[in-house]
């Protein structure tokens, strides 16, 4: 491929840096011939992935979802970059896919963070995510509804602003929240134990009073007891 063709291809992907290289096609090598492959790369900054391999896969899914079925598997997200590899015979599809990927990557840093991605970025459990979302420490920017494979009903879940998740990560708020929850749990257990002890003590004292006062107001009256007591036979 000449330098002139390479320059025109770069213009077609809206100024995004695209590295076009010639590489041997493995299938053609086995047949005894060599066919050139088209390769384009786009940088993927750390602020987009937030250091998460799961977030990287999420960006890959987002890009593939905007490509035709026949092209999707040729686009891959790798550490620090998005790569598109196609054979030279599919040059037209390659150019169209390159333009789509370049357009998708504009503002990719603002792509909402999915629940599993948030858990991976912050190293938290699903239980912690649900709890902190419910009490407002994790802030949702809305919901997304998708239909999962193998499920008859669609699933709705909260998504998060990547800058909010980045702030929680940078300030290590997950650790502070976890410590707060531990103190709260310990205090609740202490209070619960105290209440249980008071309840048990009240039950025991009630039993003692009933044992020591069998002739209380609720005790049954015996016939002739008043006369028997008046004569002082028990003194």
């Amino acid at each position: 491929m000449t330098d002139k063709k390479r320059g025109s291809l770069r213009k077609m992907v809206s100024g995004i840096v695209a590295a076009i290289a010639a590489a041997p096609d493995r299938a053609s090598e086995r047949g005894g011939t060599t066919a050139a492959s088209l390769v384009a790369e786009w940088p993927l900054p750390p602020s987009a992935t937030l250091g998460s391999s799961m977030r990287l896969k999420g960006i890959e899914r987002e890009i593939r979802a905007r490509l035709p079925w026949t092209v999707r598997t040729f686009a891959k997200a790798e550490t620090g970059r998005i790569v598109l590899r196609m054979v030279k015979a599919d040059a037209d599809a390659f150019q169209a896919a390159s333009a789509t990927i370049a357009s998708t990557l504009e503002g990719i840093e603002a792509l909402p963070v999915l629940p599993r991605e948030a858990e991976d970025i912050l190293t938290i459990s699903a239980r912690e995510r649900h709890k902190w979302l419910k009490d407002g420490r994790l802030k949702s920017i809305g919901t997304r509804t998708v239909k999962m494979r193998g499920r008859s009903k669609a699933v709705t879940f909260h998504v998060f602003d990547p800058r909010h998740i980045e702030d929680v990560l940078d300030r290590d708020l997950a650790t502070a929240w976890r410590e707060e929850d531990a103190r709260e749990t310990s205090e609740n257990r202490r209070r619960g134990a105290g209440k249980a002890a008071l309840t048990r003590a009240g039950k025991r004292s009630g039993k003692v009073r009933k044992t020591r006062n069998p002739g209380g107001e609720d005790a049954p009256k015996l016939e002739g007891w008043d006369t028997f007591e008046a004569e002082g036979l028990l003194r």
Side-chain angles (χ1 to χ4, degrees):
M1 181 178 290
T2 65
D3 293 338
K4 185 177 180 181
K5 289 183 178 180
R6 292 186 181 186
S8 61
L9 182 58
R10 290 192 181 95
K11 292 180 182 179
M12 297 181 73
V13 294
S14 305
I16 298 296
V17 178
I20 310 301
D25 182 70
R26 297 183 182 276
S28 299
E29 282 183 346
R30 289 192 293 269
T33 61
T34 300
S37 294
L38 302 176
V39 182
E41 296 182 6
W42 294 263
L44 196 59
S47 56
T49 61
L50 297 175
S52 167
S53 59
M54 191 167 292
R55 172 77 168 167
L56 181 65
K57 294 299 292 184
I59 292 175
E60 180 183 85
R61 287 193 298 269
E62 185 71 17
I63 291 172
R64 287 183 172 183
R66 304 191 184 192
L67 295 173
W69 279 101
T70 55
V71 180
R72 290 183 179 183
T73 56
F74 299 111
K76 293 185 179 181
E78 300 178 358
T79 303
R81 63 179 184 171
I82 299 295
V83 183
L84 176 66
R85 294 185 178 91
M86 297 180 67
V87 296
K88 188 177 180 180
D90 295 331
D92 292 340
F94 175 83
Q95 293 173 2
S98 296
T100 299
I101 293 173
S103 176
T104 304
L105 288 176
E106 293 180 3
I108 195 65
E109 297 178 5
L111 182 69
V113 178
L114 303 182
R116 291 293 179 84
E117 296 173 359
E119 293 170 14
D120 188 52
I121 294 168
L122 301 176
T123 317
I124 62 177
S125 65
R127 182 189 62 80
E128 289 174 326
R129 174 175 57 83
H130 284 296
K131 176 179 175 58
W132 296 343
L133 176 63
K134 185 177 181 179
D135 61 24
R137 284 180 279 187
L138 273 180
K139 303 184 184 302
S140 169
I141 58 171
T143 59
R144 178 180 294 185
T145 301
V146 297
K147 188 169 182 180
M148 309 294 289
R149 288 183 179 179
R151 295 190 180 185
S152 58
K153 295 183 179 180
V155 177
T156 300
F157 50 84
H158 288 271
V159 293
F160 307 92
D161 184 346
R163 303 287 72 84
H164 170 59
I165 297 299
E166 185 178 28
D167 179 61
V168 173
L169 177 65
D170 291 344
R171 295 166 60 190
D172 198 17
L173 293 180
T175 299
W177 294 344
R178 194 174 289 120
E179 292 174 353
E180 290 177 7
D181 292 346
R183 288 194 296 269
E184 181 182 358
T185 299
S186 178
E187 180 63 18
N188 289 340
R189 287 177 178 173
R190 187 187 65 80
R191 291 179 180 177
K195 290 181 179 179
L198 290 175
T199 300
R200 289 194 298 269
K203 289 181 178 180
R204 285 197 298 269
S205 62
K207 290 180 179 179
V208 171
R209 284 195 298 269
K210 289 181 180 179
T211 303
R212 293 182 178 179
N213 188 23
E217 294 180 357
D218 296 333
K221 294 292 184 178
L222 298 178
E223 186 177 353
W225 177 262
D226 293 338
T227 303
F228 185 78
E229 186 179 17
E231 292 181 357
L233 298 176
L234 296 179
R235 296 176 187 173

